[in-house]
């Protein structure tokens, strides 16, 4: 692994940071959260037109730039610094790779160029609160999470030459505003059931979408109801490895999320350091107190360790090594620690709604609810590595 960044990667980071600094400050962030979409469409258009961000990790054949997950993760690190609300995670990290991996040539040609130029947003709808399990981050991802039979979830049935979906998904990232839904549904009945993915347009008849109140307002979520909705199967029914594709996307998504969390943690720490240099107590800046220095030094070490793990995970996705879950666990832990210390060291102002400190803490807590928690990410990684199986452990 080359620990240095290329000129192109540095350029992506620098340009994106400058754009977000101008277009996604604290006031712009709060204004975007209050819109029906939960993000600023004009900012998304600017990210697409000026940086080609939606197509960063898509092949050039489909209008993308042809970069790797590493570049996408570095871009996510910059968006994490400002907590920029955008369709980046739902569209580019979760939905687009599934379309690329499983879609037919016709589906790819019809959808991916529109995603790459920013004119089409998409979302992954997984039944129940099972997104982390479906992505094989906290569970085996064997398909039981999709429901079926007596377990509820979303059911898929044949209707002539097509498919009809019926069911409900309660937590869909950007599900209220996405123009395309990639829905995981159960088919085949109780005895011979399997999980498949289906494409549902956002304006499909029988589709009801309601934005939910989420702990982390910068990650808008929706409840999606499918009432006998016509759908198109993603890929083909025979030979489509849906669970394998979800697992692969889960690992790359974890690496991207880890970098995003590191960016948020770094900015939370940076804001706290700036504050303790200015806030005075007993005639001295509180940042000069030994106890404060020690607390911030601990956070700094934790953030830097998480950054190293996140960068390695982003690099490893292109080299066949799955370490995204572990990197995500370390990054979420670092973000939670940085945000908590930020609130504490800001004193009274850190607890107010008007200050941004709570937004970083909610990002940490919200991501753990969606993709964790930390101890389950680590437990699943240990289980996958057979770390504690008799005769397979490593003595230390």
């Amino acid at each position: 692994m080359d620990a240095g960044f290329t000129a192109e990667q540095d350029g992506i980071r620098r340009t994106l940071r400058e754009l977000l600094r101008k277009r996604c400050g604290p006031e712009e962030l709060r204004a975007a959260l209050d819109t029906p979409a939960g993000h600023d469409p004009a900012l998304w258009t600017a990210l697409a037109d000026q940086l080609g961000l939606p197509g960063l990790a898509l092949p050039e054949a489909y209008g993308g730039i042809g970069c790797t997950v590493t570049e996408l993760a570095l871009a996510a690190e910059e968006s994490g610094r400002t907590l920029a609300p955008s369709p980046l995670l739902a569209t580019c990290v979760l939905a687009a790779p599934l379309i690329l991996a499983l879609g037919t040539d016709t589906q790819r040609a019809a959808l991916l160029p529109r995603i790459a130029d920013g004119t089409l947003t998409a979302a992954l709808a997984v039944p129940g609160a099972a997104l982390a399990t479906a992505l094989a981050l906290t569970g085996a991802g064997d398909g039981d999470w999709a429901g079926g039979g007596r377990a509820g979830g979303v059911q898929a049935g044949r209707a002539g030459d097509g498919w009809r979906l019926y069911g409900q998904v309660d937590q869909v990232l950007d599900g209220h505003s996405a123009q395309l839904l990639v829905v995981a549904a159960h088919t085949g009945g109780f005895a011979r059931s399997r999980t498949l993915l289906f494409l549902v347009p956002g304006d499909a008849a029988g589709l009801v979408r309601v934005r939910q109140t989420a702990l982390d307002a910068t990650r808008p979520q929706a409840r999606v109801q499918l009432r006998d909705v016509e759908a198109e199967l993603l890929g083909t029914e025979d030979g489509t490895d849906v669970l394998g594709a979800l697992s692969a996307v889960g690992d790359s998504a974890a690496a991207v999320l880890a970098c995003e969390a590191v960016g948020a943690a770094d900015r939370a720490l940076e804001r706290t350091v700036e504050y303790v240099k200015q806030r005075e107590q007993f005639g001295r800046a509180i940042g000069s107190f030994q106890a404060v220095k020690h607390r911030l030094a601990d956070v700094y070490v934790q953030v830097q360790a998480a950054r190293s793990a996140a960068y390695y995970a982003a690099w490893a996705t292109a080299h066949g090594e799955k370490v995204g879950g572990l990197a995500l666990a370390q990054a979420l832990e670092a973000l939670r620690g940085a945000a908590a210390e930020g609130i504490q060291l800001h004193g009274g102002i850190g607890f107010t709604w008007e200050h941004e400190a709570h937004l970083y803490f909610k990002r940490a807590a919200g991501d753990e609810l969606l993709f964790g928690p930390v101890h389950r990410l680590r437990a699943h990684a240990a289980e996958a590595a057979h770390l504690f199986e008799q005769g397979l452990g490593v003595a230390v």
Side-chain angles (χ1 to χ4, degrees), residues 93-103 124 135 182 197 234 242 245-246 249:
V93 180
L94 296 177
L98 288 171
I99 297 172
L100 179 63
L102 300 177
L124 173 63
L135 296 175
V182 180
L197 296 180
L234 178 61
V242 172
L246 284 169
V249 168

Side-chain angles (χ1 to χ4, degrees), residues 56-375:
L56 192 63
L58 290 177
E60 295 181 18
Y62 298 111
I65 297 178
C67 293
T68 66
V69 173
T70 303
E71 284 75 18
L72 187 60
L74 294 177
E77 182 181 1
E78 296 305 320
S79 70
R81 288 179 59 85
T82 59
L83 301 181
S86 76
L88 179 66
L89 175 60
T91 300
C92 307
V93 180
L94 296 177
L98 288 171
I99 297 172
L100 179 63
L102 300 177
T104 63
D105 292 339
T106 301
Q107 289 171 336
R108 293 173 185 170
L111 299 175
L112 292 180
R114 296 166 58 200
I115 290 177
D117 65 17
T119 58
L120 178 67
T121 57
L124 173 63
V126 173
L131 182 58
T133 303
L135 296 175
L137 294 176
T138 59
D142 54 8
D144 290 343
W145 46 267
R150 301 167 187 164
V154 178
Q155 308 299 314
R158 284 195 175 278
D161 294 333
W163 294 82
R164 312 289 293 191
L165 303 184
Y166 190 90
Q168 177 172 304
V169 186
D170 292 317
Q171 291 178 294
V172 183
L173 291 171
D174 291 331
H176 60 295
S177 61
Q179 297 156 311
L180 177 70
L181 296 178
V182 180
V183 183
H186 216 265
T187 184
F190 184 75
R192 300 176 60 187
S193 61
R194 60 181 302 198
T195 301
L196 296 174
L197 296 180
F198 296 87
L199 301 174
V200 177
D203 57 356
L207 180 65
V208 180
R209 307 188 289 177
V210 180
R211 182 177 176 181
Q212 302 287 77
T213 300
L215 172 64
D216 178 13
T218 64
R219 287 228 198 275
Q221 300 178 31
R223 181 177 66 247
V224 174
Q225 294 178 335
L226 301 113
R227 302 172 179 175
D228 195 27
V229 175
E230 184 177 355
E232 177 185 355
L233 178 66
L234 178 61
T236 59
E237 188 173 358
D238 298 327
T240 300
D241 185 10
V242 172
L243 301 182
L246 284 169
S247 177
V249 168
D251 185 69
S252 61
V256 172
L257 284 163
C259 285
E260 184 188 68
V262 165
D266 187 60
R267 180 55 183 154
L269 175 60
E270 188 178 276
R271 290 175 61 91
T272 305
V273 171
E274 291 172 356
Y275 179 78
V276 299
K277 288 181 178 179
Q278 300 171 3
R279 178 73 168 92
E280 291 190 356
Q281 196 173 71
F282 307 115
R284 292 173 54 187
I286 62 174
S288 66
F289 299 149
Q290 194 77 357
V292 174
K293 290 180 179 180
H294 284 173
R295 291 171 68 172
L296 291 177
D298 289 342
V299 173
Y300 176 80
V301 171
Q302 194 173 29
V303 171
Q304 293 304 315
R307 173 175 279 118
S308 296
Y311 286 172
Y312 182 81
W315 173 85
T317 55
H319 295 80
E321 186 178 357
K322 290 190 173 184
V323 293
L326 281 175
L328 179 58
Q330 191 159 355
L332 290 179
E333 198 168 52
L335 175 55
R336 184 176 57 194
E341 288 290 1
I343 292 174
Q344 290 290 326
L345 293 176
H346 272 85
I349 193 175
F351 289 85
T352 62
W353 181 260
E354 292 75 17
H355 200 273
E356 288 75 44
H358 70 94
L359 296 177
Y360 288 87
F361 190 83
K362 288 177 179 177
R363 170 59 67 88
D367 276 4
E368 278 207 64
L369 290 173
L370 281 170
F371 303 103
V374 166
H375 70 273

